[in-house]
């Protein structure tokens, strides 16, 4: 039996694995990282080709190795996976792939993981599965009748596929802002959100404000509530590369439509408007279905947390969840989880 099974090899999973090994867990014998992806890179390998390092909102250094310098023009779905691959190799991290964890069950000695590569058992878990594989599309009346194309940001591959079309972009997050800028250069766009966007400037993002944001997210997960989207806490920010789109009026926000029709939408005043495509920039949900047999969720829909450990069982740590969903937060959570499990399981020091 393993001491610790880490599920997922994105930023949070790699950080946890690095610290677990540094704290004395023997690779492969006592700790493994099970990654469903065919190659290193976590969710980054699935991002759209037009997303460059100039566009991303920052990549935190993995512990022990800084992110390589970038000219900005590199594709993020190549650059970041290459960084992750080098990191795994450099520290000889015990990543096994592709292995999809289908369900986790409690047994007398710990946990049994049913996977695409057979059964693993471990005394403790670090879950680092992120959100990419759970894109969220809300239901609206008529959604099933639309005859044009509907796609989520997880399926988006570049503005060229929407060139010349009238595109309805739904969602009030950073992805919507970024994709509106590039799609509007080749297509007609209309932006709708449930709530009016709250815009912030660089001056608003002080260290104190950052601490307040983390504290608000931590308060929710300690109470067992589902984590809110980042932008619902931080607000939106226009970067220099989006200023031209702003000057074209691209960020004129409209309230939500009342229903979707076969060839467009109907607005609350009864007016109909044609659209060729609907892009759902409506975010993701935590990918935790494989943990359902452990009954961790509260009636409120979230998982009550004490730091990175679940309140229900301190042998189960969620990293990259709630306040640790950012890349910086994921690094810190990886260390916190590793240290807590070292103290709990008390392995022989390396």
């Amino acid at each position: 039996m393993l001491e610790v099974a880490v599920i997922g090899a994105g930023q949070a999973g790699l950080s946890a694995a690095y610290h677990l090994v540094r704290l004395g867990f023997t690779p492969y014998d006592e700790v493994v990282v099970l990654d469903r992806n065919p190659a290193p890179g976590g969710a980054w390998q699935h991002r759209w080709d037009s997303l460059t390092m100039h566009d991303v909102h920052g990549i935190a250094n993995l512990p022990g190795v800084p992110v390589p310098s970038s000219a900005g023009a590199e594709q993020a779905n190549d650059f970041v996976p290459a960084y992750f691959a080098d990191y795994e190799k450099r520290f000889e991290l015990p990543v096994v792939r592709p292995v999809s964890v289908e369900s986790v069950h409690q047994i007398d000695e710990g946990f049994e993981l049913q996977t695409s590569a057979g059964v693993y058992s471990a005394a403790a878990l670090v879950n680092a599965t992120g959100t990419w594989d759970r894109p969220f599309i809300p239901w609206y009346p008529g959604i099933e009748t639309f005859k044009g194309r509907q796609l989520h940001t997880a399926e988006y591959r570049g503005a060229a596929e929407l060139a010349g079309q009238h595109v309805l972009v739904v969602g009030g997050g950073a992805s919507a802002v970024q994709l509106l800028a590039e799609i509007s250069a080749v297509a007609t766009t209309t932006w709708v959100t449930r709530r009016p966007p709250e815009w912030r400037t660089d001056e608003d993002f002080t260290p104190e404000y950052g601490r307040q944001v983390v504290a608000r997210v931590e308060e929710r997960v300690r109470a067992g509530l589902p984590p809110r989207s980042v932008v619902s806490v931080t607000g939106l920010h226009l970067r220099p590369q989006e200023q031209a789109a702003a000057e074209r009026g691209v960020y004129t926000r409209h309230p939500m439509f009342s229903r979707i029709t076969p060839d467009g939408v109907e607005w609350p005043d009864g007016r109909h408007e044609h659209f060729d495509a609907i892009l759902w920039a409506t975010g993701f949900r935590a990918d935790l279905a494989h943990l359902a047999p452990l009954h961790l969720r509260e009636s409120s829909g979230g998982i009550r947390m004490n730091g990175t450990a679940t309140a229900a069982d301190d042998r189960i740590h969620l990293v990259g969840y709630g306040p640790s969903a950012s890349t910086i937060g994921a690094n810190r959570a990886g260390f916190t989880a590793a240290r807590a499990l070292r103290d709990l399981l008390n392995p022989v020091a390396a």
Side-chain angles (χ1 to χ4, degrees):
M1 173 182 281
L2 295 164
E3 292 285 342
V4 184
V6 180
I7 308 174
Q11 186 101 15
L14 293 181
S15 174
Y18 169 87
H19 289 298
L20 284 165
V21 172
R22 296 265 294 185
L23 290 172
F25 292 90
T26 305
Y28 296 105
D29 290 334
E30 294 182 322
V31 59
V32 297
V33 184
L34 304 176
D35 184 32
R36 75 179 61 171
N37 286 296
W44 288 100
Q45 62 195 282
H46 306 299
R47 306 275 183 173
W48 51 93
D49 289 345
S50 58
L51 182 69
T52 67
M53 293 304 295
H54 177 64
D55 297 319
V56 301
H57 292 272
I59 304 297
N61 297 329
L62 283 163
V65 179
V67 178
S69 59
S70 167
E74 301 92 341
Q75 287 183 200
N77 58 11
D78 288 332
F79 186 90
V80 180
Y83 171 48
F84 282 17
D86 174 75
Y87 190 82
E88 290 181 16
K89 183 177 180 180
R90 182 185 300 239
F91 293 108
E92 299 180 334
L93 297 181
V95 181
V96 183
R97 63 166 60 90
V99 177
S100 177
V101 178
E102 295 154 359
S103 63
V104 181
H105 302 263
Q106 189 164 336
I107 57 177
D108 289 341
E109 302 84 2
F111 305 95
E112 184 175 85
L113 291 72
Q114 300 288 336
T115 83
S116 59
V119 177
Y120 287 79
S121 57
L125 301 173
V126 175
N127 192 85
T129 45
T131 63
W132 184 259
D133 288 304
R134 280 205 64 203
F136 174 69
I137 296 180
W139 183 86
Y140 280 93
I143 189 172
E144 71 283 352
T145 70
F146 186 64
K147 295 182 179 178
R149 184 183 179 194
Q150 297 189 64
L151 70 160
H152 190 273
T153 50
E155 304 166 278
Y156 177 78
R157 292 295 173 266
E161 61 183 346
L162 299 168
Q165 299 182 32
H166 190 184
V167 182
L168 181 66
V169 178
V170 185
S175 292
V177 171
Q178 179 187 328
L179 297 185
L180 277 162
E182 60 181 70
I183 294 171
S184 65
V186 298
T188 302
T189 59
T190 298
W191 185 29
V192 296
T193 68
R194 286 189 300 130
R195 294 183 296 270
E198 182 176 349
W199 298 100
R200 296 189 181 276
T201 65
D202 288 335
E203 288 74 21
D204 295 318
F205 288 93
T206 63
E208 176 58 28
Y209 178 69
R211 287 189 288 271
Q212 292 174 6
V213 167
V214 172
R216 289 166 65 183
V217 178
E218 286 179 337
E219 183 178 359
R220 285 186 64 85
V221 298
R222 278 199 304 269
L225 297 171
R228 295 174 63 189
S229 66
V230 174
V231 73
S232 70
V233 182
T234 63
L236 291 170
H237 174 242
L238 280 180
R239 300 168 301 164
Q241 58 265 49
E242 291 147 0
Q243 291 299 330
E247 292 167 6
R248 296 197 306 269
V250 169
Y251 299 115
T252 300
R253 171 261 178 187
H254 300 271
M256 292 301 300
F257 43 81
S258 58
R259 64 180 292 105
I260 299 173
T261 67
D263 65 344
V265 302
E266 183 180 298
W267 299 105
D269 61 4
R271 180 174 51 91
H272 176 269
E273 188 168 1
H274 170 79
F275 288 96
D276 300 297
I278 301 175
L279 174 61
W280 296 95
T282 42
F284 299 79
R285 296 292 183 265
D287 184 12
L288 301 173
H290 54 288
L291 301 181
L294 301 177
H295 305 293
L296 298 172
R297 287 197 184 276
E298 303 279 323
S299 58
S300 56
I303 297 176
R304 191 180 300 272
M305 303 291 296
N306 291 325
T308 61
T310 64
D313 194 326
D314 61 2
R315 299 170 300 172
I316 305 171
H317 289 252
L318 308 183
V319 295
Y321 176 82
S324 64
S326 68
T327 55
I328 293 176
N331 281 350
R332 294 171 180 164
F335 173 67
T336 299
R339 183 175 56 185
L341 290 176
R342 187 272 313 273
D343 294 344
L344 180 67
L345 302 175
N346 197 24
V348 176

